[in-house]
Amino acid sequence: MTPDELKEIITQEQQIEQTREHHICVCTAAGCISSNSLQVKDALAKEVKARGLADKCQVKGVGCLGLCAQGPLVHMREEDRLYKKVVPEDAPEILDSLGAKPVQRLECPTNIPFFQRQMRVVLENFWKIDPERIQDYIAADGYSALINALTELSPIDIINEIIHSGLRGRGGAGYPTGLKWSTVSKAVGDVKYVVCNADEGDPGAFMDRSVLESDPHRVLEGMAIAAYAVGASEGYIYVRAEYPLAIKRLRNAIKQAERSGFLGQNIGGARFSFHLDVRLGAGAFVCGEETALIASIEGKRGTPRPRPPYPAQHGLWGRPTLINNVETFANIPSILRRGAAWYASIGTEKSKGTKVFALAGQVNNTGLIEVPMGIPLREIIFDIGGGIPNGKQYKAVQTGGPSGGCIPEEFLDLKVDYESLSQIGSIMGSGGMIVMDDSSNMVDVARYFMEFCQSESCGKCVPCRVGTVHMYNLLDKILRKEATRKDLSMLEKLCGIVKGASLCGLGQTAPNPVLSTLRYFREEYESNIVEGEIAAVCAQCPDEKEGEKR
Amino acid sequence: MRTYDQVPPPPDDDKRWRFVGTTMRSHGYKPHALIETLHTVQEYFGFLDEKAFKYVAHGLRVPLSRVYEVATFYHFFNMKPKGKHTCVVCTGTACFIKGVPQILAALEKEYHIKPGDTTSDGKVSLMAARCVGACGLAPVVTFDGEFVGNASPEKVLAKIREWKDDDAG
């Protein structure tokens, strides 16, 4: 595909678009599909056909419209009108409202902060394109960054651009992306790999799923640019088997991109080849850790190994490997199209750009949002999220999943970026944000995450395998109101040991939910503690007696 | 190099083994195709058993112990045949906060099943998913692959009763 051919497709698409007066866009991401959006789409298409409007009015499936709680959502582009909770029987009424008054019963205002306060970079195409058509993506300026990079830029130029943009890894740890690329590009190896980490294991996070389902080509373009920049010729997308729709759309997108010459041999007429394949995860949280992910792609048990050597030098099959998260790759095309300076102008001093969050839990507007870095938590939860439902009080927000922490009310005015969140004992994580109201028991929440970590621990290193089980038992004991002060101090001691001595990120961060709830909600632990009677409790618990002897 | 006549024959004449063979062939019978192949077995047979392990081990030329270790390491693979219907309860954080523990408690009280169990008549299997990624609709339950958002103990119990009654008649 040459730049001219690309322009030709864009012109063709624009000509077709001009003949249409109306676009009715139905959300076809997993959330809305589960509430029957495909039937709604079919009913609308049937009705359009019956009324003989097929030439003028297009009914199309688009990506996630964001406000998952109100699905299925239908967006009428020309009228800029959003309909919520649509059922197939609403189709005639919706068509009656073409260019006329809206159906009030279904109307969902688009001037609310949920839509107005967002800043869409990664999600820019979600409302516009059909994720199953490559032409839609191309018409939205897609693949132009890749073709431009191949024809105009050298790999070094691209890496410098990414470094200047200040983009940091969106998987959670926030390692500077440009630096990683530069390390891989300098590494020596006959073959290099680019791997996309789409093993979104954090419970309560669905950003990567939405991106893969709504705009898969954006990720492919980002990966191809990365491959060109670091000198890789093969790539894998490691995606959770629990996301069947994302897998289907990814495979479809790869096929289309190969056919159009954006993947495969001699891309864009340049001497650059890149082959991409999908690998399925199989339900192991630890495979989000990069060395475990590599082991899993190699068909082995997903256990991590000590680093260094880092995957940048010694990765997949011992070759230099670049591993980035879905959202990181999805940022790349925008950065190259609009420039590093533009990207660096968004966000805070050390955290640039935007971040996609999955807002869920006890909050009115649950769904997918993208906001600039540095936005206060209060604005996310109370303006965009619309506050806490059922007249309850805000208690905490949990970020970063099982590796993160709970943030109490006193920090609501905190500006969200990598540094500020880790300062208060949580992490940015991949972007899950779960709001809790005053009915949540924080010890129970800590136990929930510890149950998760102990069952997801791969078992390779002792601190994580054994420590998380004991921490879980202690939390359970506290909840049963059978724990003593000694148990509480043992729990705190274990937090330090597991954090300090575990091999990989899973174990090193597993104590975070306990530590952060202990820090901000200690009274909930204290109120469950039994004073004295240590001997009586220990008699029931032989394990602990043994521990004391040591 | 391996030639095609060295590829082992399927364990029996079940036609579904052909799909498993196709997966192995498309990856050139390389050992790294192990997880992909096990996915195919589970997709067509519903679960993994010793027969499948041996076939895959031979086909990809990996030790049987390695097949077993991989199959038991990953939660997605199951070794027990499932019931006629499957109910998957999402236990992600958002679902947990919004009332999944109550749904599981109701199921245990009514049918004495926990995640991983099948009802005594073999009709309904209950599974727990880590997170199905539909957190905006929490709590989420899937009935035979069909998502249901904003689930409640009543809704889930009603569906399971319907399945059990339906098949009895």
Side-chain angles (χ1 to χ4, degrees), chain A residues 304-356:
Chain A
R305 61 161 176 79
R307 297 176 301 178
Y310 286 90
Q313 268 106 26
H314 189 94
L316 194 55
W317 290 299
R319 306 285 184 13
T321 304
L322 173 74
I323 302 184
N324 275 142
N325 170 266
V326 171
E327 199 186 324
T328 314
F329 282 126
N331 270 301
I332 305 296
S334 298
I335 293 174
L336 288 196
R337 268 203 307 269
R338 302 169 78 169
W342 162 79
Y343 197 80
S345 70
I346 310 167
T348 62
E349 194 199 333
K350 284 185 176 164
S351 308
K352 301 294 184 194
T354 57
K355 178 80 193 85
V356 182

Side-chain angles (χ1 to χ4, degrees), chain B residues 1-31:
Chain B
M1 252 340 256
R2 179 168 208 183
T3 56
Y4 282 103
D5 52 69
Q6 286 171 297
V7 174
D12 52 46
D13 49 11
D14 193 321
K15 289 207 171 108
R16 290 174 289 182
W17 292 115
R18 271 201 299 199
F19 297 103
V20 182
T22 307
T23 302
M24 293 198 284
R25 192 173 62 238
S26 68
H27 288 95
Y29 299 97
K30 299 253 174 65

Side-chain angles (χ1 to χ4, degrees), chain B:
Chain B
M1 252 340 256
R2 179 168 208 183
T3 56
Y4 282 103
D5 52 69
Q6 286 171 297
V7 174
D12 52 46
D13 49 11
D14 193 321
K15 289 207 171 108
R16 290 174 289 182
W17 292 115
R18 271 201 299 199
F19 297 103
V20 182
T22 307
T23 302
M24 293 198 284
R25 192 173 62 238
S26 68
H27 288 95
Y29 299 97
K30 299 253 174 65
H32 65 75
L34 178 54
I35 295 173
E36 295 288 308
T37 312
L38 293 180
H39 270 299
T40 312
V41 177
Q42 183 153 308
E43 190 185 335
Y44 287 98
F45 291 86
F47 69 106
L48 310 172
D49 62 3
E50 207 184 312
K51 208 162 34 174
F53 287 161
K54 282 186 177 153
Y55 177 50
V56 174
H58 269 131
L60 301 176
R61 287 207 282 196
V62 289
L64 191 55
S65 60
R66 179 100 177 263
V67 181
Y68 186 74
E69 103 182 345
V70 166
T72 48
F73 179 84
Y74 292 98
H75 300 298
F76 196 80
F77 298 127
N78 57 297
M79 251 62 65
K80 274 191 272 182
K82 279 192 215 160
K84 194 172 170 197
H85 300 285
T86 316
C87 170
V88 183
V89 179
C90 177
T91 56
T93 320
C95 295
F96 172 78
I97 299 283
K98 286 201 155 183
V100 154
Q102 286 85 320
I103 294 178
L104 289 176
L107 284 169
E108 197 179 346
K109 196 175 157 214
E110 188 80 17
Y111 297 108
H112 311 288
I113 47 172
K114 284 183 182 168
D117 293 348
T118 303
T119 49
S120 49
D121 55 6
K123 276 179 188 154
V124 182
S125 289
L126 177 65
M127 318 284 275
R130 272 303 174 204
C131 182
V132 294
C135 312
L137 302 167
V140 180
V141 177
T142 68
F143 297 111
D144 283 341
E146 190 188 317
F147 278 69
V148 174
N150 301 316
S152 62
E154 294 76 39
K155 263 194 207 172
V156 178
L157 287 177
K159 183 73 189 178
I160 290 187
R161 205 169 301 127
E162 187 189 307
W163 274 343
K164 290 182 74 113
D165 292 351
D166 205 30
D167 294 353

Side-chain angles (χ1 to χ4, degrees), chain A residues 344-382:
Chain A
S345 70
I346 310 167
T348 62
E349 194 199 333
K350 284 185 176 164
S351 308
K352 301 294 184 194
T354 57
K355 178 80 193 85
V356 182
F357 286 105
L359 196 56
Q362 306 288 14
V363 61
N364 277 314
N365 301 331
T366 56
L368 194 73
I369 57 165
E370 182 170 6
V371 289
M373 292 274 191
I375 187 173
L377 271 172
R378 188 184 297 278
E379 206 173 318
I380 297 181
I381 295 161
F382 288 92

Side-chain angles (χ1 to χ4, degrees), chain A residues 20-24 48 53-59 95 98:
Chain A
R20 293 181 181 134
E21 288 166 21
H22 300 282
H23 291 84
I24 304 179
V48 165
L53 294 171
D55 298 331
K56 280 194 209 158
C57 175
Q58 188 198 17
V59 178
L95 282 184
L98 278 178

Side-chain angles (χ1 to χ4, degrees), chain A residues 196-234:
Chain A
C196 174
N197 183 349
D199 189 51
E200 187 175 49
D202 284 17
F206 53 94
M207 304 76 47
D208 296 350
R209 174 182 67 74
S210 299
V211 172
L212 294 174
E213 282 173 5
S214 309
D215 201 358
H217 286 287
R218 171 177 286 270
V219 181
L220 304 189
E221 187 180 4
M223 287 185 76
I225 293 169
Y228 175 65
V230 303
S233 56
E234 280 177 54

